[in-house]
Every structure is written in structure tokens, then in C-alpha cells.
Amino acid sequence: MSELTHFNAAGEAHMVDVGAKDDTHRVAVAEGRIEMQPDTLVMIRAGDHKKGDVLGIARVAGIMAAKKTADLVPLCHPLVLTRVELGFETRDDPAAVHCTATVETRGPTGVEMEALTAVQIALLTIYDMCKAVDRGMRMEGIRLREKRGGKSGDWRAE
């Protein structure tokens, strides 16, 4: 594994200089799930939550989060995103909502942090909207599934 890039020779945190890097097409896909009681999943699927469309609101929250990643993660570069797409799949055993975020840009640095942030905030939004009926929900398996582009090339989780 290569060295940590967010520390200088003196061990101080710094933002990596990407000014000399070529702009290339970058893609990152992240995923995660929120596990819940079966009755909570029934309510989400039915779309009759008193606060509104849980997955629709979570999708918008994830998109907004991807766009705000540099404001949340101190050493992230602000990026112009060309695509943010969130997908949701409900699963029965265990009762859960699985979220996938795909983020793209054309620039000097990748969008892995934006994809991960989108998934986490989308799942957190589901928790927020459903906590009145299920405080025991758990966010699990949040990870980078793949990244494409850039100097380090393509990578896919096993």
C-alpha cells in the first residue's frame, strides 16, 4: 500500500496538490444498507409514511450530500460533479433498504468520498424519517464498491 497522502513530511495534515494532474473521467460507486424491523420496511414500501416518500427524500438528500462533501470532509477538494445517481432496493431477509450511489466527474481527483457521503446521508435520512417507529435500525456494509479513472486506474471491491 502506498503512503498516506494527506500528511506532509512533518506529519501535518494538508490538502493534496492536484494542480498538475490531468483532468480525466472519474467514476465511483459506493453502497450500503439500513436494516430495520419488517413493519418499518412495509411502511416504506407502501409509501404511506406521514412524513412523505421516504426513498424519494433520501435520494434527494444523497444527491445534496455528494455536492457538499468538501464542506463536510476537511481535506476533500471541492469538485464539479457531472452525475450523481442513487438507487434503492428493498430486501426482506433481513428487512433492509440497500442504497447504491454512482458519482461522476471530469477532473484531477476522484469522487470516492462523494459517493460514500451520498450513501451515508441517504441512509441517515431513512433513519431520521423512520426513527419514530424503529429506533433500532442499523446502517451496515457501507463501502466503496468500485472506482474508475485517474492515475491509479480502476479498482473493484472483492
Side-chain angles (χ1 to χ4, degrees), residues 78-147:
L79 301 176
V80 175
L81 303 179
T82 58
R83 175 179 173 227
V84 179
E85 182 175 319
L86 273 82
F88 296 99
E89 179 183 317
T90 59
R91 299 180 179 174
D92 290 316
D93 192 23
V97 175
H98 182 267
C99 176
T100 302
T102 303
V103 180
E104 296 188 41
T105 192
R106 179 162 183 77
T109 190
V111 287
E112 297 93 337
M113 296 303 295
E114 288 74 11
L116 286 163
T117 300
V119 166
Q120 292 187 27
I121 296 301
L123 296 178
L124 189 61
T125 300
I126 293 170
Y127 185 95
D128 180 52
M129 293 189 71
C130 298
K131 69 182 181 281
V133 297
D134 187 355
R135 292 200 184 273
M137 292 176 283
R138 292 176 315 282
M139 289 174 264
E140 305 278 348
I142 298 165
R143 68 178 186 150
L144 181 66
R145 194 167 75 197
E146 67 178 280
K147 61 90 62 196

Side-chain angles (χ1 to χ4, degrees), residues 27-56:
V27 180
V29 180
E31 66 182 349
R33 69 186 177 281
I34 185 165
E35 296 178 2
M36 61 195 62
Q37 295 297 319
D39 289 346
T40 307
L41 184 60
V42 168
M43 180 190 62
I44 290 171
R45 283 178 171 155
D48 61 2
H49 191 291
K50 67 179 183 178
K51 289 185 177 181
D53 175 11
V54 173
L55 299 183

Side-chain angles (χ1 to χ4, degrees), residues 56-69:
I57 294 168
R59 177 175 287 107
V60 172
I63 293 167
M64 291 174 63
K67 294 173 10 177
K68 292 289 192 178
T69 300

